[in-house]
Amino acid sequence: MALDSKVPHGPIQSKWTDYKNHINLVNPANKRHIDIIVVGTGLAGGSAAATLAELGYNVKAFAYQDSPRRAHSIAAQGGINAAKNYMGDGDSTYRLFYDTVKGGDYRSREANVYRLAEVSGNIIDQCVAQGVPFARDYGGLLDNRSFGGVLVSRTFYAKGQTGQQLLLGCYSAMNRQIARGKIEMFNRHEMLDVVKIDGKARGIIARNLITGEIERHSAHAVVIATGGYGNVYFLSTNAMGSNATAAWKIHKKGAYFANPCFTQIHPTCIPRSGDYQSKLTLMSESLRNDGRIWVPKKIEDAKAIQQRKLKPTEIAEEDRDYFLERRYPAFGNLVPRDVASRAAKERCDAGFGVNATGEAVYLDFASAIERYGKTQAKVQNISNPSKEKIYDLGQAIVEEKYGNLFQMYEKIVDENPYKTPMMIYPATHYTMGGIWVDYNLMTTVDGLYCIGEANFSDHGANRLGASALMQGLADGYFVLPYTIGDYLSNDIRTGKIPTNTPEFDEAEKEVKDRIDFFINNKGTKSVDYFHKKLGKVMWDKVGMARNEKGLKEAMAEIKQIREEFWKDVKVPGVANEMNPELEKAGRVADFLELGELFAKDALMREESCGGHFREESAETDGPQKGEAKRNDKDFAFVAAWEYKGEPADAVLHKEQLEFKDIELKQRSYK
């Protein structure tokens, strides 16, 4: 079946405006009679809930955290992109659109990405109006920095805590609507299934995580905004609670899952320190503006560092390999994340890693500190400043830009990153794949929408840094509130959706049966035992580099782990009270199915693109030797999988990607 993306006709520059001019609207008096459920209250869900309520709809918002302020969007550090050209360096809507499609290795839908670039400027205005304290330059204008994969500075930021500040802005907009009674907030509730009536999404089954009570909630439309599935790897930069359950449940009810193998490995994370670790910590990509990435040139130096016989500061400049600057001169340390991650892995695999496990490279700020110090000495009219003075002046500037990130690193690693280069290593971070949606952000189920990281729509095979916050807020503030009205205009006479129907009965029974199974199963192994096992298979065989043999093994091994899980999992406690192990069991059960579909998708895609690197598909000679080799003839499509029971039986549907405004060509950052 060819999927209908519902992309409007006409030139790309006017598609969105013309489309909005012609879609159906719901009059303000009728919005009062329409209910919308929003699951997830991060930047996408929070902004959508606030905007829909502001428009007059009745919104029910669900968060599994104790407050929307704890949504994982809070962890985004580096910034948010927008094409405002404040730096006068040639940025434009088209250039942001081009960089995003190219950065995603030409595997995203042009129309959605252009719309994203088009509304990006509005997001900044909205957030400034909400009081988000973006960094400003000396003249008081909003400041920008650069991120990987681009040649301009378009990233707006609030120190190293941009996600947190944007979330507080969005949370205040939500609170205004909660106070007015337009948003009914359900904290500590987890959605465990979607309810379909006559083929339309009409409600959800949720569990109150404090009392264990199972609840029915109805609405005229349901919006899923529950983030990505990076925790399928067990170790990732995601919060430990981040999960794929809501997305997986709607997949099982008919929403197609697109491109699950497109996940992002972030190059700048604090390396893992042992098997006992439960998550990894991200160091913002913004650090690559000023940090230079290197390993020793000589293998004997690397070995000495691994054995702690040598310090990085003792290695002479000429004995350092700044490998990103060497391999990608045009972009240097600011190549996109997938390129930087693979380059770091290649050096570490070759034996040049710099920590005890050999899985780390250096991120060094010495030259930035010196550069800023010399500039400051001139600004302050200090003639012949000493080395120490230059260092102090430079450190103050770096501290002003990245202080909280350096502090965080020092707390975790117990080393001063101003004096000793940071150690970093790639880690699972963001997922570009997700639920398939059309131009309206609607899934393959009527009335069921999916926004933010939970959908697949904007980043192709690799997300550029600082684009996640942009997509989440674009979907929530400026896209969904228009497109959902077109669908809901048919519901103005429907009236309240009752919850005492066979469809709700059936969905609730399924949820309760599964919970009863977990509580009553007399297994011997903890949920984490299975999650770690899954994570190891995913990282080893479906990680940064993949091959046919490994992927086939992964599918078989994951199926085996899943079968063992259902036989031997032990969940302590009871169902009708707070029970984090029970929550975890349901989420890991879903990861054990998603992981197999992920490997199946990676096996089907016999090309390398973005975050999906197939060892069989690399350039063998010429200037691009060793780089990813895309196959546009056979794979320029979105892979959307339909659920058929076992993950191995999922049916593939293709949405062919058209490139009318951007030329398909080899992605080069050299």
Side-chain angles (χ1 to χ4, degrees), residues 130-275:
Q130 286 172 344
V132 172
F134 286 121
R136 293 178 181 268
D137 65 17
Y138 180 73
L141 300 172
L142 296 186
D143 199 10
N144 288 137
R145 53 189 176 202
S146 193
F147 262 58
V150 305
L151 295 170
V152 296
S153 292
R154 64 162 70 101
T155 304
F156 294 78
Y157 63 98
K159 266 198 169 172
Q161 43 180 266
T162 315
Q164 180 177 6
Q165 298 303 331
L166 291 169
L167 191 65
L168 289 171
C170 155
Y171 178 59
S172 62
M174 279 185 78
N175 266 344
R176 173 179 139 81
Q177 298 306 327
I178 291 168
R180 295 177 64 217
K182 293 305 287 180
I183 294 180
E184 194 179 350
M185 189 65 228
F186 294 88
N187 294 327
R188 304 295 280 132
H189 277 67
E190 182 166 32
M191 168 187 157
L192 294 179
D193 212 348
V194 65
V195 180
K196 277 164 63 178
I197 298 175
D198 299 331
K200 295 179 175 182
R202 290 301 200 191
I204 65 168
I205 304 292
R207 179 173 182 265
N208 179 327
L209 297 180
I210 292 175
T211 64
E213 200 179 335
I214 303 298
E215 300 173 5
R216 304 177 179 197
H217 297 275
S218 69
H220 299 89
V222 176
V223 180
I224 303 296
T226 49
Y229 49 90
N231 276 351
V232 70
Y233 285 94
F234 185 69
L235 279 183
S236 84
T237 64
N238 287 242
M240 286 176 68
S242 298
N243 65 83
T245 288
W248 195 251
K249 291 293 188 260
I250 67 171
H251 171 56
K252 287 177 125 175
K253 284 285 173 84
Y256 293 178
F257 208 105
N259 301 336
C261 78
F262 288 167
T263 49
Q264 183 164 75
I265 311 290
H266 196 296
T268 46
C269 297
I270 296 179
R272 73 188 182 95
S273 51
D275 292 335

Side-chain angles (χ1 to χ4, degrees), residues 202-495:
R202 290 301 200 191
I204 65 168
I205 304 292
R207 179 173 182 265
N208 179 327
L209 297 180
I210 292 175
T211 64
E213 200 179 335
I214 303 298
E215 300 173 5
R216 304 177 179 197
H217 297 275
S218 69
H220 299 89
V222 176
V223 180
I224 303 296
T226 49
Y229 49 90
N231 276 351
V232 70
Y233 285 94
F234 185 69
L235 279 183
S236 84
T237 64
N238 287 242
M240 286 176 68
S242 298
N243 65 83
T245 288
W248 195 251
K249 291 293 188 260
I250 67 171
H251 171 56
K252 287 177 125 175
K253 284 285 173 84
Y256 293 178
F257 208 105
N259 301 336
C261 78
F262 288 167
T263 49
Q264 183 164 75
I265 311 290
H266 196 296
T268 46
C269 297
I270 296 179
R272 73 188 182 95
S273 51
D275 292 335
Y276 51 82
Q277 222 169 311
S278 52
K279 81 174 292 299
L280 296 168
T281 305
L282 176 73
M283 288 280 99
S284 166
E285 182 176 321
S286 61
L287 295 171
R288 291 198 276 147
N289 270 290
D290 287 314
R292 297 175 72 195
I293 294 174
W294 65 275
V295 292
K297 273 183 185 169
K298 300 176 189 161
I299 196 89
E300 57 271 26
D301 285 349
K303 292 277 171 279
I305 283 178
Q306 287 167 21
Q307 291 156 13
R308 298 207 157 179
K309 291 177 182 168
L310 196 60
K311 289 184 176 150
T313 44
E314 293 168 345
I315 292 184
E317 191 65 21
E318 62 272 17
D319 293 331
R320 299 178 176 196
D321 176 13
Y322 294 95
F323 57 91
L324 291 179
E325 296 170 30
R326 167 170 60 80
R327 285 172 62 172
Y328 308 102
F331 285 74
N333 294 297
L334 282 171
V335 289
R337 292 171 176 183
D338 58 321
V339 178
S341 293
R342 277 197 300 276
K345 180 180 190 289
E346 182 273 326
R347 288 289 76 198
C348 292
D349 288 353
F352 292 90
V354 296
N355 66 351
T357 63
E359 292 182 323
V361 298
Y362 286 126
L363 180 64
D364 195 335
F365 286 84
S367 58
I369 288 172
E370 189 182 336
R371 186 177 74 245
Y372 285 130
K374 285 178 175 171
T375 305
Q376 278 304 301
K378 285 197 171 92
V379 168
Q380 295 178 25
N381 212 5
I382 303 170
S383 54
N384 295 328
S386 66
K387 260 189 161 176
E388 289 73 23
K389 185 65 182 169
I390 287 173
Y391 182 86
D392 290 345
L393 291 169
Q395 180 179 329
I397 297 291
V398 169
E399 198 169 338
E400 192 184 327
K401 291 177 88 167
Y402 312 111
N404 60 317
L405 299 170
F406 277 61
Q407 201 180 2
M408 194 162 77
Y409 179 89
E410 189 167 0
K411 273 188 164 41
I412 293 170
V413 181
D414 196 23
E415 271 184 359
N416 178 349
Y418 295 104
K419 306 278 187 199
T420 308
M422 280 184 184
M423 285 185 295
I424 54 165
Y425 192 70
T428 304
H429 179 53
Y430 187 89
T431 52
M432 287 76 64
I435 298 296
W436 185 89
V437 290
D438 62 17
Y439 191 71
N440 297 316
L441 305 182
M442 197 196 286
T443 68
T444 42
V445 174
D446 280 351
L448 183 58
Y449 291 79
C450 190
I451 60 176
E453 190 183 354
N455 77 24
F456 88 102
S457 72
D458 293 352
H459 307 294
N462 172 58
R463 176 177 70 79
L464 290 181
S467 285
L469 305 184
M470 173 174 67
Q471 186 215 336
L473 291 180
D475 287 357
Y477 282 138
F478 297 109
V479 179
L480 179 82
Y482 289 102
T483 61
I484 202 168
D486 189 43
Y487 171 79
L488 291 171
S489 60
N490 294 318
D491 267 321
I492 56 177
R493 293 214 174 93
T494 305

Side-chain angles (χ1 to χ4, degrees), residues 43-57:
L43 283 181
S47 58
T51 310
L52 292 166
E54 188 79 47
L55 288 170
Y57 296 108

Side-chain angles (χ1 to χ4, degrees), residues 510-560:
E510 270 178 45
V511 165
K512 283 183 166 167
D513 287 352
R514 184 164 169 164
I515 288 171
D516 290 346
F517 169 83
F518 284 135
I519 293 297
N520 297 322
N521 196 45
K522 299 287 176 260
T524 61
K525 301 206 170 63
S526 72
V527 175
D528 276 350
Y529 166 84
F530 295 102
H531 197 177
K532 282 179 180 172
K533 232 173 150 178
L534 168 68
K536 182 157 175 46
V537 174
M538 291 298 294
W539 184 252
D540 291 347
K541 296 180 178 175
V542 203
M544 266 194 276
R546 303 153 185 184
N547 59 53
E548 183 179 2
K549 179 176 172 287
L551 290 168
K552 284 180 172 167
E553 287 170 2
M555 284 184 72
E557 285 170 34
I558 293 167
K559 186 176 192 235
Q560 209 177 338

